[in-house]
Amino acid sequence: MYSQEFQNSLKLVEQARAKNIALEPERMTASQKEELLAQYHPDYRKDQFAELKIGPNKGEMVPIELAEILQAHSRITAEDVNLDAPDYETDVLVIGGGGAGASAAIEANEAGAEVMVVTKLRMGDANTMMAEGGIQAADKPNDSPAIHFVDAFGGGHFAAKRELLSKLVCDAPEAIKWLNELGVEFDKDENGTMITTHGGGTSRKRMHAAKDYSGAEIMRTLRDEVLNRGIPVIDFTAAIELILDDNGNAAGAVLMNMETGDLMVAKAKTVIIATGGAGRMHYQGFPTSNHYGATADGLVLGYRAGAKLLYAETLQYHPTGTAYPVQIFGALVTEKVRSLGAKLVNVNGEVFMHPLETRDVTAASIIRECSTRENGVNTGNGTAVWLDTPMIEAIGGEGTIEARIPAMMRMFGQYGIDIRKEPILVYPTLHYQNGGLDISDNCMSTCVKNLFVAGEAVGGIHGKNRLMGNSLLDIIVFGRSAGKNAAATAKNTQVGKLTLDHVAKFESEIEGAGIDTDVVSPKLLPNYTNQKSI
């Protein structure tokens, strides 16, 4: 299967394994980390960012690809729809069918509100399904939300909105309890106690998991709860524009049937954006671990309606995306592999960093190794480093991999690679949208009243980098909060006259700024052909 160059490198990795298992690499100092990030992390490449010329974040820098869709034309004009005759009316309109949207819908329904979910793919087709490693919560005797806060605040370069991060960590134990009671099958010992492990940047073992398909297990449970409650879910229907009322409040959305292109109007007292991430934008040409619909739709919808973005210039490149074989290029290799004992090794069999540094530092370290021909492994499709998975069973005993990361074993096994016996090749993959819409601690946009946001579309929860397990946590904590607060707000809301005046206003800004573009947004789906996408 491997070339002679691969075989030579493999031999070096195998020969050094016993020594590398015993090796305790030093963690980097703060100054070493900053120097490394500045030189090698994609977020620091100034030539890959553009200045926004219009909108609430005018003058700020964002990825070139994001700037293009944020400053693009709307897919519609006010003349394309009849706002006076809505096709749907509800108290709470949830845009997005992933973990955040499902959590929001459940809690809004529990609060007595009439709820409707619209999702451009199917319920559950979301990054939540793709999450593998686990969900953090400080619910063990040697841990606390305060310690969780310190870990996450430092890991996010001390840039998180304190009130949001505080809510995340303080509500975490209750979130785990809620999921457990809904039926999520977390890993537990023979006494029924949840098993927890370390993640990158954590000082305590607080990672709860369901094998290595934690997100799929959580999404399965949430989806079933939504459907069992009879909450209406409109599949294959995208929100392509927010609707405001004449008071400037969020009051619904223009919807488009993804199969027919037909337009519909949904009127609502409150709106929740839970549209997820941006991996399928393939910033800087990176592969992605994200699901097919992750095209930053919520950022576009909110921005055009006047919602401000926070930290939109920061993305998370998961350090261990699959680099070989090409059929699964970019697929996620969960951080749990490293928390179980596997270390990152270069072409010469050398461990080049502590395996549980924060994700941005780990990604930058791998890129540094691959920037020199002497340290990176040539895969035939780029350069990579080894993740020495046989270390796991050398440390934890035979059967550990099948028991703890079975999905990972099966994924590579399909291509003849037994990760119990041979290492795998990895390189950073575009994974998480650190930045997003700016919200208050009640999940409402700081700029648009009655517009709530939850999940990956939010900016500021994690700062400028996120620790493993805090994204599955934030979709639950802020999804639930958004649902409760949107339902409470809806009870006292009288919707004014529906309008799309903000669309025309934004179009005038495009013209006034001299932006010459034929791009329309939201993008909705990536385009991997030469044909024009929807």
Side-chain angles (χ1 to χ4, degrees):
M1 175 177 288
Y2 294 138
S3 67
Q4 188 60 50
E5 184 179 356
F6 271 27
Q7 295 292 346
N8 293 340
S9 182
L10 270 171
K11 287 179 183 177
L12 292 174
V13 174
E14 290 166 357
Q15 290 167 5
R17 183 168 295 137
K19 178 188 72 175
N20 286 340
I21 287 173
L23 184 66
E24 289 291 337
E26 290 186 5
R27 288 190 180 271
M28 296 182 195
T29 64
S31 61
Q32 287 173 328
K33 290 179 183 180
E34 287 304 318
E35 183 179 348
L36 173 74
L37 292 171
Q39 190 169 356
Y40 292 104
H41 196 278
D43 279 358
Y44 292 74
R45 290 189 58 186
K46 293 182 179 180
D47 62 331
Q48 294 297 314
F49 294 81
E51 182 180 337
L52 291 172
K53 297 180 180 179
I54 58 174
N57 293 80
K58 180 179 177 180
E60 296 183 14
M61 305 297 287
V62 299
I64 292 170
E65 300 87 346
L66 180 59
E68 182 180 66
I69 62 168
L70 285 177
Q71 300 179 134
H73 303 292
S74 175
R75 290 176 170 272
I76 60 167
T77 66
E79 289 71 35
D80 294 327
V81 292
N82 183 1
L83 297 178
D84 295 326
D87 300 274
Y88 301 102
E89 289 195 46
T90 189
D91 294 332
V92 179
L93 174 65
V94 179
I95 304 172
S103 298
I106 292 166
E107 289 291 11
N109 175 267
E110 181 69 16
E114 186 177 341
V115 188
M116 184 175 85
V117 178
V118 295
T119 178
K120 67 180 175 184
L121 297 175
R122 298 167 300 177
M123 188 72 182
D125 283 340
N127 281 346
T128 305
M129 280 292 294
M130 319 291 282
E132 297 170 348
I135 176 171
Q136 286 202 47
D139 58 0
K140 293 292 179 71
N142 70 331
D143 203 358
S144 70
I147 299 173
H148 189 177
F149 182 98
V150 170
D151 287 348
F153 197 49
H157 300 284
F158 307 99
K161 291 183 73 169
R162 288 173 178 266
E163 64 272 27
L164 299 186
L165 183 55
S166 177
K167 182 176 181 62
L168 180 77
V169 301
C170 290
D171 290 3
E174 168 59 25
I176 296 293
K177 181 174 181 289
W178 184 70
L179 288 172
N180 188 55
E181 291 174 350
L182 283 179
V184 172
E185 296 286 348
F186 287 112
D187 295 340
K188 298 173 183 175
D189 64 19
E190 61 276 7
N191 299 316
T193 302
M194 291 190 194
I195 297 170
T196 52
T197 58
H198 272 300
T202 63
S203 61
R204 300 290 188 275
K205 292 183 178 181
R206 68 172 73 95
M207 201 69 56
H208 303 65
K211 301 292 189 291
D212 57 346
Y213 41 80
S214 305
E217 172 62 11
I218 289 171
M219 191 68 248
R220 173 196 67 81
T221 305
L222 295 175
R223 179 194 60 206
D224 287 352
E225 183 67 16
V226 168
L227 298 180
N228 289 340
R229 285 172 172 263
I231 297 170
V233 177
I234 315 300
D235 287 326
F236 299 111
T237 301
I240 60 170
E241 204 65 67
L242 290 180
I243 298 171
L244 305 181
D245 67 11
D246 52 6
N247 297 310
N249 302 333
V254 177
L255 312 178
M256 185 181 77
N257 184 299
M258 292 292 288
E259 297 175 305
T260 66
D262 291 343
L263 299 178
M264 296 158 285
V265 172
K267 180 181 179 180
K269 295 177 180 177
T270 56
V271 178
I272 300 174
I273 287 179
T275 50
R280 292 290 166 172
M281 296 297 294
H282 292 290
Y283 297 129
Q284 301 188 35
F286 270 79
T288 186
S289 64
N290 283 190
H291 83 105
Y292 193 56
T295 50
D297 297 354
L299 274 57
V300 172
L301 296 177
Y303 196 70
R304 198 141 54 214
K308 190 174 182 179
L309 301 174
L310 183 62
Y311 302 145
E313 77 283 6
T314 66
L315 285 301
Q316 183 170 86
Y317 297 81
H318 195 290
T320 54
T322 304
Y324 182 91
V326 68
Q327 294 95 326
I328 50 173
F329 185 60
L332 183 65
V333 177
T334 172
E335 193 167 306
K336 189 174 182 180
V337 175
R338 285 177 284 134
S339 73
L340 291 172
K343 290 177 182 173
L344 292 159
V345 182
N346 66 20
V347 69
N348 301 312
E350 301 163 338
V351 173
F352 56 89
M353 63 168 295
H354 192 286
L356 291 178
E357 292 283 7
T358 55
R359 284 181 172 176
D360 54 350
V361 170
T362 307
S365 296
I366 293 172
I367 292 171
R368 178 192 61 196
E369 292 297 302
C370 293
S371 67
T372 62
R373 188 71 183 85
E374 294 76 21
N375 292 334
V377 182
N378 182 8
T379 69
N381 188 44
T383 313
V385 297
W386 296 106
L387 182 57
D388 197 4
T389 49
M391 284 186 174
I392 294 173
E393 300 210 335
I395 296 168
E398 186 177 347
T400 301
I401 285 177
E402 188 169 8
R404 301 296 297 278
I405 48 172
M408 199 89 331
M409 188 179 81
R410 288 195 298 270
M411 181 172 79
F412 282 93
Q414 291 177 4
Y415 303 98
I417 300 171
D418 186 345
I419 67 173
R420 297 169 296 185
K421 299 176 181 177
E422 58 183 303
I424 56 179
L425 287 160
V426 296
Y427 189 79
T429 185
L430 188 52
H431 184 61
Y432 189 82
Q433 178 179 269
N434 286 324
L437 297 167
D438 191 15
I439 62 169
S440 302
D441 59 3
N442 67 351
C443 296
M444 190 185 293
S445 163
T446 55
C447 299
V448 182
K449 191 176 178 184
N450 295 352
L451 177 64
F452 295 80
V453 193
E456 199 170 341
V458 174
I461 298 173
H462 310 285
K464 296 186 177 183
N465 180 60
R466 178 181 62 79
L467 299 188
M468 170 193 181
N470 278 348
S471 61
L472 281 179
L473 178 59
D474 88 48
I475 65 173
I476 304 303
V477 169
F478 289 91
R480 295 182 70 195
S481 179
K484 292 174 183 176
N485 290 318
T489 300
K491 289 180 180 179
N492 302 309
T493 295
Q494 293 293 325
V495 179
K497 182 177 175 58
L498 302 187
T499 173
L500 287 171
D501 288 351
H502 65 284
V503 175
K505 179 176 178 291
F506 198 82
E507 188 65 34
S508 296
E509 288 186 43
I510 292 174
E511 184 177 349
I515 298 172
D516 183 16
T517 179
D518 59 359
V519 176
V520 296
S521 65
K523 188 172 184 176
L524 300 182
L525 294 175
N527 183 11
Y528 295 115
T529 73
N530 292 324
Q531 300 175 6
K532 190 174 181 180
S533 59
I534 290 177

